[in-house]
Amino acid sequence: MMFLDTLHAFCLAQPERIAIELIDDPAKPPQIVRYGELEATVLRTMAMLRQKGVQPGDRVAIQLTKGLPFIYLHLATMRLGAISLPLNPAYTLRELLYFLQDAEAKLFFTDALSPNAIQELAAQAPSVQEIIVWEKGMGNAFERLIMPHRETDAAAIPLPSDPDATCLMIYTSGTTGWPKGAELTHRNLTANLNSLHEAWEWQNDDVLLHVLPLFHVHGLIVALHGALNAGATTVLLPRFEPLQTLELLVRRPCTVFMGVPTIHRRLVEAPGAERYTLQHMRLVTSGSDRLPDDLFYRFEKQFGVQLLERYGMSEAGMILSNPLHGERRVGSVGLPLPGVEVRIADPETNAPLPDGQVGEVQVRGENVCKGYWRQPEKTAAAFTPDGWLRTGDLGLREPDGYFTLKGRAKDLIISGGYNVYPSEVERVLNEHPAIEASAVIGCPDAEWGERVIAIVELRSGVRAEPEEIMQFCRERLAPYKAPRQVLFTSPLPRNALGKVQKSALRNACCQPSD
């Protein structure tokens, strides 16, 4: 069965089991959604989308604060056979315009934009037939939206039957050019969820504490879909707060927790963290960035549970994982998940390399996306002739099968668990009237994993202040992409072909953070 079939079956078989427990305000009782109620609300949401003209294959963009409306719209869109397009609420108008125009989205749901921004989007994104917006704090705005629609209006709509139809699009950028939409199919989602179900032994009585965003693979597929695919319970926290998280992990109690290294570090450093033990938990994972060795040991000493590090990407979901039972090797991302093939290959020839030799990590399996939205050339370049996805990451395989990553071949920066692509930031920097050229690098940071640093070459005779340039970027980029530091140089170091030598910049500019 595909994921949506499995979820539908759980909704019918266990209508009274709690699917989602939303804790929006710690001072108030949580909002409980049982599996039967989840089915009913998704059906009413489907009826609303159908009434607005959504057909199979249409793109529905969702830029909402983390909460129940996002989940209902996402599930309803996929169940209609349309394509869910989750978007970060922190995106600027400039970024949103690109995504909506490129995807040719039909509907756009948002609670993050001003009336002026909505007007500009409406004028410049002609494919969007309707922008549905409600202000934060409007309470039952979503309920009022679906109120006129009945479950029976959508109950007869069959579940999607084509496993190779795209159901979810996650935008991911390379180091050059504009972001591209990775097309994930029902088959991709189902294969990845089933392999995680087997590897991590998801149980029907699991309770997941969810503190991640819902607009990327980690929070949406690995965490939320993972729990729903097991018929388990998700305790949804819209905002991460360390002591509240520790209290809930113990008091609820929760059995599963997923985070990024920045989250785990904030947990161990929280005042009063020594009062808590997490030994009752069976699975605490770390991903989206490399887990520092010291944090692995500190977390275990502090809370009595070992972190499980894994590795994945937007185009393939989860790929490798340390074992649930067995050695969780420090510095390693573990073993291939069930049904997933992973190899280390020469990045130039794609020839497989022997154990212990560093090369490109390449992956093959039903979890791998079908390609990039309307970009056949980039799709072709991303796959080898024999069908392996080129991840762009460097690593090696140990003789016993464990994989270790050795760096990112394309200078990707990961800050606080979010991918930051230097070319995207450099493109904005180079629009500043004082900047002749720029280079963006990531430097080690104790809190964020890496911090974004811009090294700029000013135009002759022109002056600019670092804060002015950082503010310029903050107005045009999501906060996690904007440089945290600006350094000046003249000229930028380049090789004989004129390419900026970022390795030299990292050696010269990266100093330990305070």
Side-chain angles (χ1 to χ4, degrees), residues 86-99:
L87 296 172
N88 188 342
Y91 282 145
T92 64
L93 178 61
R94 169 197 178 101
E95 293 167 308
L96 279 174
L97 272 173
Y98 171 75
F99 296 128

Side-chain angles (χ1 to χ4, degrees), residues 332-346:
S332 171
V333 287
L335 306 160
L337 287 165
V340 181
E341 298 178 83
V342 186
R343 73 180 185 185
I344 302 296
D346 185 305

Side-chain angles (χ1 to χ4, degrees), residues 346-369:
D346 185 305
E348 299 297 327
T349 66
N350 296 313
L353 296 174
D355 289 347
Q357 190 166 334
V358 175
E360 182 181 45
V361 180
Q362 297 183 352
V363 58
R364 184 168 67 180
E366 291 189 344
N367 58 305
V368 178
C369 73

Side-chain angles (χ1 to χ4, degrees), residues 470-490:
M470 288 189 286
Q471 181 60 32
F472 181 86
C473 292
R474 286 193 289 264
E475 292 171 357
R476 292 161 174 80
L477 293 166
Y480 66 90
K481 299 178 186 177
R484 296 178 180 272
Q485 186 178 1
V486 173
L487 303 174
F488 297 104
T489 188
S490 181

Side-chain angles (χ1 to χ4, degrees), residues 25-283:
D25 183 347
K28 297 180 180 179
Q31 185 174 348
I32 302 297
V33 179
R34 303 181 188 278
Y35 272 90
E37 296 171 282
L38 178 63
E39 170 79 359
T41 308
V42 168
L43 286 173
R44 292 171 65 201
T45 306
M46 289 168 61
M48 178 270 295
L49 293 174
R50 276 282 291 264
Q51 188 272 330
K52 291 182 178 296
V54 174
Q55 298 294 320
D58 287 340
R59 279 72 61 202
V60 176
I62 309 170
Q63 188 203 31
L64 296 177
T65 303
K66 182 179 179 181
L68 295 174
F70 183 108
I71 296 171
Y72 296 141
L73 284 165
H74 166 69
L75 293 174
T77 296
M78 294 198 302
R79 190 159 158 179
L80 277 175
I83 300 172
S84 174
L85 175 59
L87 296 172
N88 188 342
Y91 282 145
T92 64
L93 178 61
R94 169 197 178 101
E95 293 167 308
L96 279 174
L97 272 173
Y98 171 75
F99 296 128
L100 296 176
Q101 290 170 343
D102 184 72
E104 295 187 0
K106 188 168 190 174
L107 293 182
F108 177 41
F109 291 85
T110 182
D111 60 7
L113 298 179
S114 68
N116 288 340
I118 295 296
Q119 290 180 1
E120 188 167 346
L121 280 177
Q124 298 191 44
S127 69
V128 180
Q129 296 183 3
E130 186 177 357
I131 298 175
I132 300 93
V133 57
W134 55 83
E135 297 177 8
K136 296 175 185 177
M138 284 182 65
N140 296 324
F142 183 76
E143 286 74 11
R144 291 196 298 272
L145 181 66
I146 65 172
M147 187 180 299
H149 303 279
R150 301 172 300 171
E151 299 169 41
T152 53
D153 294 335
I157 299 173
L159 288 156
S161 60
D162 180 4
D164 296 317
T166 302
C167 62
L168 174 62
M169 193 149 68
I170 302 288
Y171 269 87
T172 178
S173 177
T175 58
T176 60
W178 289 93
K180 49 193 182 293
E183 293 191 62
L184 297 170
T185 68
H186 293 281
R187 187 190 301 276
N188 298 151
L189 294 187
T190 301
N192 206 222
L193 290 170
N194 288 346
S195 69
L196 289 174
H197 190 99
E198 179 180 345
W200 293 349
E201 297 181 6
W202 272 103
Q203 304 295 320
N204 189 245
D205 59 356
D206 270 326
V207 178
L208 163 74
L209 181 58
H210 193 300
V211 300
L212 297 165
L214 286 173
F215 50 78
H216 61 37
V217 166
H218 193 174
L220 185 59
I221 299 176
V222 185
L224 178 64
H225 283 203
L228 293 175
N229 189 60
T233 296
T234 298
V235 178
L236 202 68
L237 274 182
R239 295 161 297 279
F240 169 70
E241 196 284 317
L243 286 180
Q244 181 191 18
T245 296
L246 288 170
E247 185 68 24
L248 281 170
L249 288 173
V250 173
R251 176 170 52 84
R252 176 60 177 84
C254 298
T255 59
V256 179
F257 181 75
M258 299 180 186
V260 302
T262 300
I263 285 176
H264 296 314
R265 190 171 293 280
R266 288 185 175 182
L267 289 177
V268 298
E269 293 179 351
E274 67 278 359
R275 301 195 305 268
Y276 298 91
T277 177
L278 303 180
Q279 291 179 325
H280 66 283
M281 300 193 65
R282 66 170 200 85
L283 178 62

Side-chain angles (χ1 to χ4, degrees), residues 406-420:
K406 291 296 184 181
R408 292 178 291 278
K410 297 180 179 179
D411 296 318
L412 172 70
I413 301 167
I414 300 180
S415 184
Y418 294 122
N419 289 354
V420 180

